[in-house]
Amino acid sequence: MATGALLLACALLAGVAVAQRVVTVQSGPLVRTEGSHVTIWCNVTGYKDGVKQDFDWSMYLPSVPEREIRIVSTAQSDYAYAVYAQRVNSKEIFVERLSDDSAVLHITKVQARDQGVFECYTPNTDGRYLGSYSARTNLTVIPDSLTVTAPPQTLSKVEGDTLQLNCEVSRTTMQHTHLSVGWYLRSPEDAAAPPQELVTLSRDFVLRSGGPYRQRMAAGDLRLDKTSATSYRLTIHKLQPVDQGLLYCQAVEWIQDPDGSWFAMTRKQSEKTQLRIQPTDRDFSIQVSTERRSFMAGEPLELRCTIEAQNVPERFFSVSWVFSSSPVAVVGPSAVPVLGPDYVAREAAGLMTVRKESPSVHLLKLHRLRQGDTGKYICRVTEREKTPTGDFIDRSKRSRNVQITVQSFKNNTTVSLSTNSSEVLEGDRIQLICSVNSATGPLSVVWQWTDKQLTGPIQEVASVDRDGTVAHGASYRDRSRYGEIRVERVRADIFSLSLYNALPGDEGQYRCTATQWINTGTDTEPNWENIGNQTATKTVTVKTVESSFMVSASSRTPSITFGDSFDLLCLVKPRHNPRVPTSVTWRFMPSGTRAEDEDQGEFKDLVTFTREGTLQWGEQLLGLGTRTTVDRSHSNTNFRLSVTRAGRREAGKYQCTAILWRKNYDNSWSRVANRTSNLLGISVLQPESRLKVQKNNQSLAYQEDSRVRINCSITSQTSQDSQHAVLWYIRRAAGSETDELLLRIERTGAFEYGAYADEERLRRRVQAERLSPRLYALTLNRAESSDSGTYYCLVEEWLSDPDGAWYRLSRDTSGYTRVLVKQPEPQLRVDELENNITVEESSSIRLGCNIFSQSSPDSRFSVFWYVDRSDDEDIEDRLGEDDDKRDCVFSIGHDAIFGNGNCSPPDDNGPNSRFQFERTTSDQYSLTIHGARPADAGHYYCHVEEWLLNPRNEWYRLATNNSGITIVNVLQRVSTIHSVVCSNESLFYFLFFYPFPIFGILLIALLVVRYKGRNNNKSQEGKNGAPLLWIKEPHLSYSPTCLDPPALSLHPGSVD
């Protein structure tokens, strides 16, 4: 606070000098505990006088130091953000204005989320800005860890006693803090009165006391001791009546702020102790108490003498017991009893007890009352007190007379007999409870049995004497040795009889006879007397298990499909009894057994649940013993037979048989009854087929030599484990009822061709594929027109039964696919352009034949050149109609043989042929006629035949077409010596280069050559009379007098 005042004074001085605004807040960091009341002051100076200042409070979280969170303002009622609005509206957070330029922010219950930087802002009221308008301080919120504990209690003290109270104070604050601990007294009569301070240990570890207790603290009667790091003990000696009230411990946790001032962060109080102080009084009173005053002989009597006085343990009292003016016992301050002469022997026998139970309570107990104990009992108390002179004085008081009446003993007991059940199932336990009421002495019990008609003799089952010794009757002695009979004394007045493994002979009436005894002697010389007995009976019926023994069999699924499971339930009644267990056997007759054989024991045992609870498998095993499970319920009444993945072998009739056994007390077994259940028929059927094949009908058209594919798609099947056999059929004619088997694909993948495949030679061309488990395909390679027809597939679905045998479940056919295989469409087109050629005689005539389009890339062509030498103008209309008026000039077949067909060139053949054939590309042909003659004039055209190879490797003619007309005109020319010589190369050389003398040799050579040439012409005759072509040396024509260059040509006769 001193530092803050100094800063304020400095700010005021500075404001006077320069008149600038200064805002100051309480310096931080301020450390406060969660839940405490926090105050932060804010002052402003240096403003224009007479103007009331406003204060706006905001805070900044450590996680987001740049973001302002508005809290409260003196100028704006809605200044707070939503996070603080509710607390501001509820006045949990408010601003207290101390003056026009000073205010205090109050947070009545600070929270952990309030930790951060608080800013006090004062709006400008001067018209200009000069100085500071805000100030900040840091607030740290720590958990409240201060604990103050003292047990709540109520204490009663006597004036002058000593009081000690303990208080536990602890904290876990990480900051440096101080503690102050004090004890306070609050008056119980005036709750509004302020508490009275007893003693306090300040934060500076200075001990101080309240005003009224300073003298007692100085005298040492008031102390506050720190016994450990967390324990504080208050001690008050010589208690006074003014100390009475509510005492509690209060602890305060202090922390020093940056300005040097101390702040009480947390203040807590302990539970209160109620202190009562009784003023000192030397008087005392006596009171004798007992439960009742009327007793029966033999019952115990307890008398208690209570001394009511202050500070009894520090005083000396003697207690005397008197019976009818006769002393019984005296108990002095030392608590040693002195017995009267008539009670020495009784106390020695243990029939009497005299003791001091507490400083203020004395006991007289007579264990067994006698009739002579009837009378008045008195308690006399004498206090011996020492006077200041050293003498002793006695003060005595006596209690009121207590009249005790002892009556002679009467047998007022009653006996009730109950059982666990009046009707017990054979093998269960019979339990009888015999309860004796109003018994005052030891009891003995006898258990007896007789038949229900009460005509037979009474048999003793067992007995229990007054000492608890058990004896069994002669008829039940053997069963008791094996633990079949058990007799107990549950309590002194309750007895039980249990017969285990009840037999039918145990049915009858049971009797419990209870006798009460009393000891008229002493413990060393007892004398027991029978003072009476009482009897109770109960009839018990034993229901034989054979009468209710029933067996039934049931099944929820009498009809199942292959692979399914079924459960058979055998219900045995009544419920299982370990002493009367049941053995259950499941039996089976296969469905193939005839009905008349059922009575001849054809059922075979499957499995047996023995009476010991084990399993015993029979000779008949279902599902090879791997798909059969058995179980039974916990109560052994339900026996279940379960078969998984059932097949044909599991179909038949089932039944269960049960045998009831009884375990005798000597652990031997007896067969009681045998029952057989009803028959259960189980039918195991094939599953319902869900096979479906796609039935879309379609028509497909292909050209010859194409690949034909037909799909067979299975849209659904019965099981994922289904296998399929696929049969492909063909129907040739549309109205034919006979379908030919093409091939069969077995479920194993094996192929089997039908007779149709052999007849039509399809083995090499047909192909069957399995593209996926549900998609099959039939492929015809190099299809022929004869393959046209209707195709479909037949699918057989096969399943494996649980025994591994395959069976055909169903069949289904697909839709029909009509396949048409046809030859290619003729697309042959030859150049039909008409030409007109005029050449001179002896020149060359070139005839072209261009094929513009063909039907197939694999087509081959036969080309014929024809000439029509008639002068008719309608020759185009006669092309191909009148073969007599046209001549075949040249031909080449599709097999590359010249002179194909009946076309033979009219000219000479061989090496001297004038025709030259060329094929520059596959669709361009040309024919050149050398040495044109006037007779060569005419109308020329080419005839083209298109040939294809069918899938059987046979050639067939697909189409024909003619080219356009080429009109050829040959002009005759006049012959001269020069032209004759230049046109004949041999003559040119002969006349100008060879001498005449060799003319004779040449003549002879020509004769020889001509002779040999005739023989060669005969050997070279070809097929159909056409001459074969042979290779000849190129013919070189050269004339030194001619202007034409040498010509290199390949004549038709030049190719062999």
Side-chain angles (χ1 to χ4, degrees):
M1 293 298 292
T3 304
L6 181 60
L7 292 175
L8 181 60
C10 294
L12 291 174
L13 292 175
V16 173
V18 298
Q20 67 176 11
R21 177 184 293 262
V22 176
V23 177
T24 57
V25 296
Q26 188 173 349
S27 60
L30 302 177
V31 179
R32 301 294 184 261
T33 55
E34 188 175 357
S36 63
H37 188 148
V38 176
T39 59
I40 305 175
W41 56 261
C42 179
N43 299 329
V44 57
T45 60
Y47 61 92
K48 185 181 296 184
D49 294 338
V51 179
K52 189 177 181 179
Q53 300 297 305
D54 287 315
F55 298 86
D56 297 341
W57 286 92
S58 305
M59 67 93 61
Y60 301 85
L61 295 175
S63 58
V64 191
E66 298 84 7
R67 188 175 67 185
E68 177 188 10
I69 301 177
R70 295 183 176 182
I71 302 177
V72 66
S73 172
T74 59
Q76 305 177 38
S77 59
D78 57 349
Y79 180 77
Y81 282 178
V83 67
Y84 282 102
Q86 184 177 0
R87 296 172 66 186
V88 171
N89 294 333
S90 63
K91 297 303 181 181
E92 181 181 338
I93 300 177
F94 63 92
V95 177
E96 178 187 5
R97 181 182 291 277
L98 301 180
S99 63
D100 290 346
D101 55 4
S102 179
V104 177
L105 172 66
H106 289 264
I107 304 178
T108 59
K109 191 175 183 181
V110 71
Q111 301 178 7
R113 63 178 181 174
D114 296 333
Q115 177 172 303
V117 176
F118 282 74
E119 181 183 46
C120 175
Y121 173 76
T122 60
N124 184 15
T125 59
D126 302 332
R128 64 189 182 94
Y129 286 90
L130 181 62
S132 63
Y133 292 85
S134 65
R136 297 186 179 186
T137 187
N138 194 351
L139 174 64
T140 302
V141 181
I142 63 175
D144 183 5
S145 61
L146 178 64
T147 60
V148 181
T149 57
Q153 54 186 333
T154 301
L155 300 177
S156 297
K157 295 290 183 178
V158 179
E159 181 182 356
D161 287 350
T162 299
L163 173 67
Q164 285 189 344
L165 297 176
N166 291 321
C167 178
E168 293 287 334
V169 180
S170 64
R171 71 188 188 281
T172 59
T173 308
M174 301 300 296
Q175 285 74 10
H176 177 71
T177 59
H178 288 191
L179 286 177
S180 62
V181 180
W183 285 91
Y184 294 85
L185 173 64
R186 183 180 292 276
S187 173
E189 291 82 8
D190 188 4
Q196 177 66 47
E197 180 183 5
L198 298 181
V199 60
T200 300
L201 183 63
S202 69
R203 64 174 182 266
D204 301 325
F205 215 71
V206 175
L207 196 64
R208 68 172 185 267
S209 61
Y213 290 90
R214 290 176 184 173
Q215 186 176 359
R216 296 174 66 180
M217 178 177 161
D221 293 337
L222 179 63
R223 294 179 55 87
L224 178 59
D225 300 310
K226 185 176 182 181
T227 59
S228 69
T230 60
S231 297
Y232 298 83
R233 183 172 63 196
L234 171 68
T235 304
I236 303 177
H237 297 289
K238 299 178 182 180
L239 286 172
Q240 300 177 10
V242 295
D243 298 332
Q244 180 172 283
L246 298 176
L247 295 172
Y248 63 90
C249 170
Q250 177 176 284
V252 181
E253 186 176 9
W254 299 79
I255 191 168
Q256 191 173 24
D257 287 340
D259 59 1
S261 62
W262 286 90
F263 179 79
M265 294 193 304
T266 306
R267 186 185 308 268
K268 291 187 178 180
Q269 298 177 359
S270 68
E271 298 287 341
K272 296 177 175 58
T273 298
Q274 185 174 3
L275 177 63
R276 295 191 182 96
I277 299 177
Q278 183 178 0
T280 303
D281 187 2
R282 305 302 298 178
D283 194 11
F284 64 90
S285 62
I286 305 171
Q287 184 177 0
V288 177
S289 61
T290 182
E291 292 183 358
R292 65 179 190 272
R293 299 192 179 192
S294 179
F295 296 89
M296 300 297 297
E299 290 183 342
L301 167 65
E302 290 186 356
L303 293 171
R304 284 179 172 81
C305 182
T306 303
I307 303 172
E308 296 180 354
Q310 294 182 2
N311 202 12
V312 174
E314 298 180 3
R315 301 164 70 176
F316 300 94
F317 292 98
S318 296
V319 177
S320 301
W321 290 99
V322 180
F323 167 66
S324 299
S325 302
S326 299
V328 177
V330 177
V331 181
S334 61
V336 177
V338 179
L339 300 175
D342 297 337
Y343 293 91
V344 174
R346 197 166 181 177
E347 194 274 338
L351 299 178
M352 175 180 172
T353 300
V354 180
R355 70 171 180 267
K356 183 179 181 181
E357 290 186 337
S358 68
S360 59
V361 179
H362 292 256
L363 172 67
L364 170 62
K365 182 175 183 179
L366 301 177
H367 293 278
R368 293 193 185 92
L369 289 174
R370 306 171 184 174
Q371 287 187 342
D373 295 329
T374 300
K376 298 178 181 179
Y377 290 84
I378 300 173
C379 172
R380 181 182 290 119
V381 178
T382 301
E383 181 183 11
R384 175 164 291 189
E385 185 178 0
K386 187 177 182 180
T387 63
T389 59
D391 298 332
F392 291 93
I393 59 173
D394 293 337
R395 290 186 299 173
S396 299
K397 288 186 178 182
R398 55 169 289 178
S399 67
R400 295 181 180 182
N401 296 332
V402 178
Q403 180 67 39
I404 299 297
T405 302
V406 180
Q407 301 177 358
S408 60
F409 187 84
K410 294 181 180 179
N411 187 12
N412 296 324
T413 59
T414 58
V415 178
S416 61
L417 187 59
S418 61
T419 179
N420 58 336
S421 177
S422 60
E423 184 177 83
V424 180
L425 186 64
E426 179 182 359
D428 288 350
R429 180 183 64 168
I430 300 175
Q431 185 174 23
L432 300 167
I433 302 296
C434 183
S435 301
V436 183
N437 301 319
S438 303
T440 58
L443 297 172
S444 62
V445 172
V446 177
W447 293 96
Q448 295 174 321
W449 172 89
T450 185
D451 57 15
K452 293 178 66 175
Q453 291 75 22
L454 305 178
T455 57
I458 298 177
Q459 298 181 11
E460 181 177 336
V461 180
S463 63
V464 182
D465 63 12
R466 59 177 174 270
D467 297 328
T469 304
V470 177
H472 293 88
S475 302
Y476 293 87
R477 195 164 294 142
D478 291 341
R479 291 178 65 182
S480 65
R481 293 194 187 102
Y482 289 96
E484 295 277 326
I485 298 177
R486 184 177 182 180
V487 179
E488 290 182 282
R489 182 167 65 181
V490 181
R491 287 189 342 211
D493 55 352
I494 297 179
F495 300 83
S496 68
L497 170 65
S498 300
L499 284 79
Y500 297 91
N501 191 19
L503 302 175
D506 293 332
E507 180 179 282
Q509 186 184 84
Y510 289 84
R511 179 180 303 173
C512 171
T513 302
T515 303
Q516 187 173 201
W517 302 82
I518 186 171
N519 183 12
T520 58
T522 63
D523 290 342
T524 56
E525 296 180 0
N527 182 23
W528 293 101
E529 294 183 4
N530 182 350
I531 59 175
N533 55 56
Q534 296 290 335
T535 301
T537 60
K538 180 67 70 174
T539 300
V540 177
T541 301
V542 178
K543 184 179 180 180
T544 60
V545 293
E546 183 178 1
S547 61
S548 60
F549 186 41
M550 296 175 56
V551 178
S552 62
S554 62
S555 174
R556 294 184 179 180
T557 54
S559 179
I560 61 173
T561 58
F562 284 159
D564 288 347
S565 303
F566 65 89
D567 293 338
L568 304 179
L569 187 65
C570 182
L571 181 62
V572 179
K573 295 182 179 180
R575 62 182 179 83
H576 171 72
N577 189 324
R579 305 296 299 184
V580 191
T582 306
S583 62
V584 178
T585 301
W586 277 105
R587 309 184 71 201
F588 172 66
M589 178 190 293
S591 58
T593 306
R594 295 176 299 176
E596 56 269 15
D597 294 338
E598 295 183 6
D599 299 333
Q600 300 179 4
E602 292 298 327
F603 278 93
K604 294 183 179 181
D605 293 345
L606 295 176
V607 63
T608 300
F609 293 90
T610 64
R611 60 173 180 260
E612 292 84 5
T614 60
L615 283 179
Q616 181 178 345
W617 293 95
E619 59 183 4
Q620 180 75 30
L621 292 179
L622 296 178
L624 301 178
T626 59
R627 305 194 305 271
T628 305
T629 58
V630 291
D631 56 28
R632 60 183 177 184
S633 63
H634 181 70
S635 59
N636 286 348
T637 57
N638 295 340
F639 298 83
R640 184 171 59 186
L641 173 67
S642 301
V643 178
T644 59
R645 299 187 68 246
R648 292 185 177 91
R649 296 179 54 185
E650 285 72 39
K653 294 182 175 61
Y654 294 81
Q655 69 175 188
C656 67
T657 60
I659 301 176
L660 193 64
W661 299 85
R662 177 188 295 124
K663 186 176 183 180
N664 302 318
Y665 61 85
D666 58 354
N667 290 329
S668 62
W669 291 93
S670 300
R671 185 168 177 172
V672 179
N674 186 4
R675 297 286 187 272
T676 301
S677 73
N678 53 298
L679 294 178
L680 292 177
I682 299 298
S683 300
V684 183
L685 308 175
Q686 293 182 357
E688 183 179 353
S689 176
R690 294 195 294 270
L691 176 66
K692 289 184 179 180
V693 183
Q694 190 172 8
K695 296 184 180 297
N696 295 337
N697 296 328
Q698 58 181 342
S699 297
L700 303 176
Y702 297 91
Q703 292 188 357
E704 279 191 336
D705 207 26
S706 299
R707 173 180 291 183
V708 178
R709 167 168 285 187
I710 305 170
N711 291 331
C712 180
S713 177
I714 301 172
T715 58
S716 66
Q717 59 186 24
T718 306
S719 170
Q720 293 182 352
D721 300 326
S722 297
Q723 295 188 6
H724 308 98
V726 180
L727 292 82
W728 288 97
Y729 286 90
I730 181 174
R731 182 180 300 167
R732 295 299 302 272
S736 175
E737 297 181 357
T738 302
D739 298 335
E740 301 289 345
L741 176 63
L742 191 59
L743 62 86
R744 175 188 178 95
I745 307 174
E746 299 290 346
R747 61 176 180 81
T748 58
F751 283 83
E752 180 181 351
Y753 290 94
Y756 178 79
D758 293 333
E759 293 174 2
E760 297 296 326
R761 296 177 296 172
L762 288 173
R763 279 182 177 261
R764 295 182 180 179
R765 295 190 297 113
V766 70
Q767 177 183 355
E769 297 178 274
R770 181 186 180 190
L771 303 179
S772 68
R774 295 191 181 187
L775 182 60
Y776 295 81
L778 175 69
T779 303
L780 296 175
N781 296 311
R782 306 196 67 190
E784 302 177 5
S785 58
S786 60
D787 295 332
S788 299
T790 301
Y791 293 81
Y792 67 92
C793 68
L794 173 65
V795 179
E796 296 178 348
E797 185 176 23
W798 291 76
L799 285 176
S800 173
D801 64 13
D803 298 323
W806 288 91
Y807 64 94
R808 188 179 70 187
L809 179 62
S810 62
R811 307 174 75 178
D812 194 15
T813 59
S814 68
Y816 295 100
T817 300
R818 183 181 178 186
V819 177
L820 175 62
V821 182
K822 55 186 179 179
Q823 295 178 351
E825 292 292 335
Q827 297 179 0
L828 177 63
R829 190 166 66 88
V830 184
D831 185 8
E832 298 179 353
L833 182 64
E834 295 183 358
N835 294 322
N836 194 334
I837 301 174
T838 301
V839 298
E840 294 180 354
E841 187 178 0
S842 300
S843 297
S844 296
I845 302 173
R846 182 179 178 85
L847 303 174
C849 185
N850 296 328
I851 301 174
F852 286 169
S853 64
Q854 58 190 50
S855 303
S856 171
D858 300 327
S859 299
R860 293 188 182 182
F861 305 98
S862 294
V863 182
F864 303 83
W865 272 273
Y866 291 93
V867 60
D868 189 343
R869 294 182 175 87
S870 63
D871 295 334
D872 298 338
E873 295 181 357
D874 57 349
I875 184 174
E876 293 184 4
D877 298 334
R878 294 188 293 103
L879 290 180
E881 295 180 2
D882 190 2
D883 294 340
D884 295 337
K885 295 183 179 181
R886 66 178 182 176
D887 295 327
C888 181
V889 179
F890 184 83
S891 69
I892 182 171
H894 64 276
D895 52 0
I897 298 177
F898 292 100
N900 187 28
N902 298 322
C903 179
S904 298
D907 273 21
D908 51 341
N909 298 314
N912 297 323
S913 175
R914 295 186 302 121
F915 300 107
Q916 179 183 353
F917 169 76
E918 291 181 288
R919 188 175 76 169
T920 57
T921 62
S922 60
D923 54 359
Q924 291 183 357
Y925 298 81
S926 66
L927 177 66
T928 303
I929 303 175
H930 297 280
R933 303 170 183 172
D936 294 331
H939 296 80
Y940 288 84
Y941 67 93
C942 70
H943 175 73
V944 179
E945 295 179 352
E946 186 177 16
W947 293 75
L948 282 176
L949 188 67
N950 65 15
R952 299 189 181 186
N953 292 326
E954 297 176 352
W955 289 96
Y956 67 95
R957 186 173 61 187
L958 176 64
T960 62
N961 199 358
N962 295 327
S963 68
I965 300 297
T966 300
I967 302 174
V968 178
N969 298 313
V970 180
L971 301 177
Q972 295 182 1
R973 61 183 177 181
V974 179
S975 297
T976 63
I977 297 174
H978 179 270
S979 62
V980 172
V981 173
C982 290
S983 63
N984 194 325
E985 182 181 359
S986 299
L987 180 60
F988 178 79
Y989 282 102
F990 177 77
L991 292 178
F992 295 99
F993 292 98
Y994 297 104
F996 290 101
I998 65 173
F999 179 80
I1001 300 173
L1002 291 175
L1003 181 60
I1004 296 172
L1006 288 173
L1007 292 174
V1008 173
V1009 171
R1010 185 171 181 81
Y1011 175 78
K1012 291 181 179 182
R1014 186 179 300 174
N1015 294 333
N1016 288 335
N1017 288 335
K1018 292 181 180 181
S1019 63
Q1020 291 177 1
E1021 288 295 325
K1023 241 194 305 186
N1024 300 327
L1028 293 175
L1029 303 179
W1030 61 91
I1031 298 176
K1032 181 181 177 183
E1033 290 296 329
H1035 190 80
L1036 182 63
S1037 299
Y1038 179 72
S1039 175
T1041 61
C1042 294
L1043 299 177
D1044 295 334
L1048 180 64
S1049 61
L1050 188 63
H1051 296 277
S1054 302
V1055 181
D1056 190 2

